């Protein structure tokens, strides 16, 4: 059995290849567990302020409209 630890900002790479993921925001763990459970569109939006959806097994990103304060 082999364990590989990878640190990346490439969410598509992590989603395609990682079995476990920890999503961090400013050093705090926001979500962790199986990659497909940790990298949800809601979690990605909260950390990166971009929209995300899954299409044919791939992550697709979109800029979000600026929210009025």
């Amino acid at each position: 059995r082999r364990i590989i630890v990878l640190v990346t900002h490439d969410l598509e790479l992590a989603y395609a290849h990682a079995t476990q993921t920890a999503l961090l925001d400013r050093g705090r763990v926001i979500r962790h567990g199986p990659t497909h459970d940790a990298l949800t569109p809601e979690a990605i939006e909260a950390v990166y302020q971009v929209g995300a959806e899954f299409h044919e097994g791939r992550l697709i990103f979109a800029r979000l409209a600026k929210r009025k304060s």
Side-chain angles (χ1 to χ4, degrees), residues 8-9 11 21-32 38-39 42-49:
T8 183
H9 287 106
L11 299 180
T21 298
L23 181 63
L24 287 87
D25 185 16
R26 296 181 208 128
R28 293 184 353 252
V29 176
I30 303 301
R31 307 262 329 232
H32 65 88
L39 293 182
E42 297 80 17
I44 293 167
E45 180 180 338
V47 172
Y48 291 96
Q49 288 80 49

mmCIF file of all heavy atoms in Angstrom, residues 8-9 11 21-32 38-39 42-49:
data_model
loop_
_atom_site.group_PDB
_atom_site.id
_atom_site.type_symbol
_atom_site.label_atom_id
_atom_site.label_comp_id
_atom_site.label_asym_id
_atom_site.label_seq_id
_atom_site.Cartn_x
_atom_site.Cartn_y
_atom_site.Cartn_z
ATOM 1 N N THR A 8 -2.088 21.040 -3.725
ATOM 2 C CA THR A 8 -2.335 21.675 -5.012
ATOM 3 C C THR A 8 -3.497 22.653 -4.928
ATOM 4 O O THR A 8 -4.367 22.529 -4.063
ATOM 5 C CB THR A 8 -2.626 20.611 -6.095
ATOM 6 O OG1 THR A 8 -2.798 21.260 -7.359
ATOM 7 C CG2 THR A 8 -3.873 19.812 -5.799
ATOM 8 N N HIS A 9 -3.480 23.621 -5.835
ATOM 9 C CA HIS A 9 -4.637 24.496 -6.026
ATOM 10 C C HIS A 9 -5.458 24.038 -7.224
ATOM 11 O O HIS A 9 -6.468 24.647 -7.554
ATOM 12 C CB HIS A 9 -4.183 25.947 -6.243
ATOM 13 C CG HIS A 9 -3.692 26.587 -5.005
ATOM 14 N ND1 HIS A 9 -2.357 26.812 -4.772
ATOM 15 C CD2 HIS A 9 -4.336 27.042 -3.908
ATOM 16 C CE1 HIS A 9 -2.212 27.375 -3.586
ATOM 17 N NE2 HIS A 9 -3.403 27.526 -3.048
ATOM 18 N N LEU A 11 -7.988 22.042 -8.477
ATOM 19 C CA LEU A 11 -9.106 21.229 -7.999
ATOM 20 C C LEU A 11 -9.516 20.151 -8.991
ATOM 21 O O LEU A 11 -9.958 19.079 -8.596
ATOM 22 C CB LEU A 11 -10.301 22.123 -7.670
ATOM 23 C CG LEU A 11 -10.053 23.156 -6.576
ATOM 24 C CD1 LEU A 11 -11.304 23.982 -6.344
ATOM 25 C CD2 LEU A 11 -9.583 22.505 -5.302
ATOM 26 N N THR A 21 -9.505 14.052 0.313
ATOM 27 C CA THR A 21 -9.157 15.455 0.123
ATOM 28 C C THR A 21 -9.452 16.249 1.388
ATOM 29 O O THR A 21 -10.459 15.997 2.053
ATOM 30 C CB THR A 21 -9.965 16.062 -1.049
ATOM 31 O OG1 THR A 21 -9.611 15.369 -2.239
ATOM 32 C CG2 THR A 21 -9.694 17.536 -1.235
ATOM 33 N N ALA A 22 -8.584 17.199 1.679
ATOM 34 C CA ALA A 22 -8.846 18.194 2.723
ATOM 35 C C ALA A 22 -8.871 19.544 2.023
ATOM 36 O O ALA A 22 -7.899 19.937 1.383
ATOM 37 C CB ALA A 22 -7.775 18.168 3.799
ATOM 38 N N LEU A 23 -9.978 20.239 2.098
ATOM 39 C CA LEU A 23 -10.132 21.569 1.499
ATOM 40 C C LEU A 23 -9.872 22.592 2.586
ATOM 41 O O LEU A 23 -10.544 22.597 3.621
ATOM 42 C CB LEU A 23 -11.543 21.732 0.926
ATOM 43 C CG LEU A 23 -11.870 23.050 0.254
ATOM 44 C CD1 LEU A 23 -10.985 23.271 -0.972
ATOM 45 C CD2 LEU A 23 -13.339 23.087 -0.147
ATOM 46 N N LEU A 24 -8.846 23.431 2.372
ATOM 47 C CA LEU A 24 -8.454 24.415 3.368
ATOM 48 C C LEU A 24 -8.772 25.827 2.911
ATOM 49 O O LEU A 24 -8.756 26.120 1.718
ATOM 50 C CB LEU A 24 -6.949 24.324 3.645
ATOM 51 C CG LEU A 24 -6.510 23.116 4.451
ATOM 52 C CD1 LEU A 24 -6.264 21.937 3.541
ATOM 53 C CD2 LEU A 24 -5.276 23.444 5.229
ATOM 54 N N ASP A 25 -9.036 26.688 3.877
ATOM 55 C CA ASP A 25 -9.219 28.116 3.629
ATOM 56 C C ASP A 25 -8.433 28.866 4.687
ATOM 57 O O ASP A 25 -8.748 28.780 5.884
ATOM 58 C CB ASP A 25 -10.695 28.484 3.695
ATOM 59 C CG ASP A 25 -10.960 29.931 3.318
ATOM 60 O OD1 ASP A 25 -10.071 30.574 2.728
ATOM 61 O OD2 ASP A 25 -12.065 30.422 3.612
ATOM 62 N N ARG A 26 -7.370 29.546 4.259
ATOM 63 C CA ARG A 26 -6.491 30.293 5.164
ATOM 64 C C ARG A 26 -5.992 29.422 6.313
ATOM 65 O O ARG A 26 -5.980 29.837 7.471
ATOM 66 C CB ARG A 26 -7.196 31.529 5.692
ATOM 67 C CG ARG A 26 -7.526 32.512 4.592
ATOM 68 C CD ARG A 26 -8.214 33.753 5.105
ATOM 69 N NE ARG A 26 -9.036 34.238 4.018
ATOM 70 C CZ ARG A 26 -10.316 34.522 4.121
ATOM 71 N NH1 ARG A 26 -10.932 34.422 5.255
ATOM 72 N NH2 ARG A 26 -10.986 34.931 3.076
ATOM 73 N N GLY A 27 -5.615 28.189 5.983
ATOM 74 C CA GLY A 27 -5.038 27.284 6.969
ATOM 75 C C GLY A 27 -6.031 26.491 7.791
ATOM 76 O O GLY A 27 -5.645 25.647 8.583
ATOM 77 N N ARG A 28 -7.325 26.733 7.608
ATOM 78 C CA ARG A 28 -8.363 25.996 8.342
ATOM 79 C C ARG A 28 -8.974 24.941 7.438
ATOM 80 O O ARG A 28 -9.273 25.214 6.272
ATOM 81 C CB ARG A 28 -9.473 26.948 8.802
ATOM 82 C CG ARG A 28 -9.048 27.954 9.837
ATOM 83 C CD ARG A 28 -10.210 28.829 10.364
ATOM 84 N NE ARG A 28 -11.476 28.665 9.673
ATOM 85 C CZ ARG A 28 -12.007 29.558 8.846
ATOM 86 N NH1 ARG A 28 -11.401 30.685 8.589
ATOM 87 N NH2 ARG A 28 -13.172 29.329 8.274
ATOM 88 N N VAL A 29 -9.192 23.761 7.976
ATOM 89 C CA VAL A 29 -9.842 22.698 7.212
ATOM 90 C C VAL A 29 -11.333 23.002 7.141
ATOM 91 O O VAL A 29 -12.008 23.132 8.163
ATOM 92 C CB VAL A 29 -9.605 21.314 7.852
ATOM 93 C CG1 VAL A 29 -10.383 20.238 7.096
ATOM 94 C CG2 VAL A 29 -8.119 20.979 7.867
ATOM 95 N N ILE A 30 -11.836 23.150 5.920
ATOM 96 C CA ILE A 30 -13.248 23.453 5.694
ATOM 97 C C ILE A 30 -14.041 22.161 5.516
ATOM 98 O O ILE A 30 -15.112 21.997 6.075
ATOM 99 C CB ILE A 30 -13.423 24.350 4.442
ATOM 100 C CG1 ILE A 30 -12.614 25.645 4.594
ATOM 101 C CG2 ILE A 30 -14.887 24.638 4.153
ATOM 102 C CD1 ILE A 30 -12.990 26.477 5.790
ATOM 103 N N ARG A 31 -13.511 21.257 4.703
ATOM 104 C CA ARG A 31 -14.130 19.941 4.460
ATOM 105 C C ARG A 31 -13.017 18.936 4.292
ATOM 106 O O ARG A 31 -11.949 19.259 3.795
ATOM 107 C CB ARG A 31 -14.964 19.938 3.163
ATOM 108 C CG ARG A 31 -15.996 20.990 3.011
ATOM 109 C CD ARG A 31 -17.411 20.666 3.343
ATOM 110 N NE ARG A 31 -17.888 19.339 3.153
ATOM 111 C CZ ARG A 31 -18.973 19.017 2.471
ATOM 112 N NH1 ARG A 31 -19.637 19.939 1.830
ATOM 113 N NH2 ARG A 31 -19.401 17.782 2.422
ATOM 114 N N HIS A 32 -13.282 17.697 4.668
ATOM 115 C CA HIS A 32 -12.325 16.629 4.422
ATOM 116 C C HIS A 32 -13.072 15.313 4.317
ATOM 117 O O HIS A 32 -14.190 15.172 4.797
ATOM 118 C CB HIS A 32 -11.253 16.566 5.519
ATOM 119 C CG HIS A 32 -11.796 16.194 6.865
ATOM 120 N ND1 HIS A 32 -11.925 14.898 7.282
ATOM 121 C CD2 HIS A 32 -12.257 16.959 7.870
ATOM 122 C CE1 HIS A 32 -12.435 14.874 8.497
ATOM 123 N NE2 HIS A 32 -12.648 16.129 8.872
ATOM 124 N N ALA A 38 -15.909 15.935 -0.385
ATOM 125 C CA ALA A 38 -15.266 17.152 0.138
ATOM 126 C C ALA A 38 -15.315 18.302 -0.862
ATOM 127 O O ALA A 38 -15.487 19.455 -0.471
ATOM 128 C CB ALA A 38 -13.822 16.856 0.526
ATOM 129 N N LEU A 39 -15.146 18.004 -2.144
ATOM 130 C CA LEU A 39 -15.144 19.057 -3.163
ATOM 131 C C LEU A 39 -16.542 19.221 -3.752
ATOM 132 O O LEU A 39 -16.822 18.875 -4.885
ATOM 133 C CB LEU A 39 -14.131 18.731 -4.273
ATOM 134 C CG LEU A 39 -12.670 18.758 -3.874
ATOM 135 C CD1 LEU A 39 -11.790 18.469 -5.082
ATOM 136 C CD2 LEU A 39 -12.288 20.085 -3.245
ATOM 137 N N GLU A 42 -20.752 23.837 -3.295
ATOM 138 C CA GLU A 42 -20.944 24.800 -2.207
ATOM 139 C C GLU A 42 -19.629 25.086 -1.475
ATOM 140 O O GLU A 42 -19.332 26.235 -1.155
ATOM 141 C CB GLU A 42 -21.989 24.269 -1.212
ATOM 142 C CG GLU A 42 -23.375 24.094 -1.792
ATOM 143 C CD GLU A 42 -23.545 22.805 -2.603
ATOM 144 O OE1 GLU A 42 -22.730 21.883 -2.492
ATOM 145 O OE2 GLU A 42 -24.523 22.753 -3.373
ATOM 146 N N ALA A 43 -18.844 24.048 -1.219
ATOM 147 C CA ALA A 43 -17.565 24.237 -0.528
ATOM 148 C C ALA A 43 -16.587 25.018 -1.401
ATOM 149 O O ALA A 43 -15.880 25.907 -0.914
ATOM 150 C CB ALA A 43 -16.974 22.883 -0.135
ATOM 151 N N ILE A 44 -16.554 24.708 -2.684
ATOM 152 C CA ILE A 44 -15.662 25.412 -3.612
ATOM 153 C C ILE A 44 -16.044 26.885 -3.691
ATOM 154 O O ILE A 44 -15.186 27.767 -3.655
ATOM 155 C CB ILE A 44 -15.689 24.748 -5.003
ATOM 156 C CG1 ILE A 44 -15.059 23.355 -4.907
ATOM 157 C CG2 ILE A 44 -14.982 25.615 -6.036
ATOM 158 C CD1 ILE A 44 -15.291 22.489 -6.118
ATOM 159 N N GLU A 45 -17.333 27.186 -3.767
ATOM 160 C CA GLU A 45 -17.787 28.577 -3.810
ATOM 161 C C GLU A 45 -17.393 29.317 -2.537
ATOM 162 O O GLU A 45 -16.913 30.450 -2.591
ATOM 163 C CB GLU A 45 -19.295 28.662 -3.997
ATOM 164 C CG GLU A 45 -19.796 30.088 -4.044
ATOM 165 C CD GLU A 45 -21.295 30.215 -4.241
ATOM 166 O OE1 GLU A 45 -21.920 29.273 -4.746
ATOM 167 O OE2 GLU A 45 -21.837 31.276 -3.874
ATOM 168 N N ALA A 46 -17.543 28.675 -1.395
ATOM 169 C CA ALA A 46 -17.225 29.323 -0.123
ATOM 170 C C ALA A 46 -15.741 29.669 -0.019
ATOM 171 O O ALA A 46 -15.384 30.726 0.497
ATOM 172 C CB ALA A 46 -17.632 28.416 1.040
ATOM 173 N N VAL A 47 -14.876 28.811 -0.514
ATOM 174 C CA VAL A 47 -13.433 29.033 -0.382
ATOM 175 C C VAL A 47 -12.882 29.908 -1.499
ATOM 176 O O VAL A 47 -12.114 30.832 -1.254
ATOM 177 C CB VAL A 47 -12.679 27.685 -0.340
ATOM 178 C CG1 VAL A 47 -11.174 27.890 -0.390
ATOM 179 C CG2 VAL A 47 -13.081 26.902 0.905
ATOM 180 N N TYR A 48 -13.282 29.635 -2.740
ATOM 181 C CA TYR A 48 -12.663 30.304 -3.897
ATOM 182 C C TYR A 48 -13.516 31.415 -4.503
ATOM 183 O O TYR A 48 -13.082 32.090 -5.421
ATOM 184 C CB TYR A 48 -12.342 29.274 -4.981
ATOM 185 C CG TYR A 48 -11.227 28.344 -4.590
ATOM 186 C CD1 TYR A 48 -11.500 27.097 -4.048
ATOM 187 C CD2 TYR A 48 -9.894 28.710 -4.750
ATOM 188 C CE1 TYR A 48 -10.469 26.230 -3.682
ATOM 189 C CE2 TYR A 48 -8.865 27.868 -4.385
ATOM 190 C CZ TYR A 48 -9.166 26.634 -3.853
ATOM 191 O OH TYR A 48 -8.145 25.797 -3.485
ATOM 192 N N GLN A 49 -14.740 31.599 -4.048
ATOM 193 C CA GLN A 49 -15.672 32.590 -4.596
ATOM 194 C C GLN A 49 -15.852 32.435 -6.103
ATOM 195 O O GLN A 49 -15.905 33.411 -6.849
ATOM 196 C CB GLN A 49 -15.232 34.032 -4.269
ATOM 197 C CG GLN A 49 -15.405 34.410 -2.821
ATOM 198 C CD GLN A 49 -14.286 33.879 -1.951
ATOM 199 O OE1 GLN A 49 -13.118 34.046 -2.271
ATOM 200 N NE2 GLN A 49 -14.635 33.242 -0.861
#
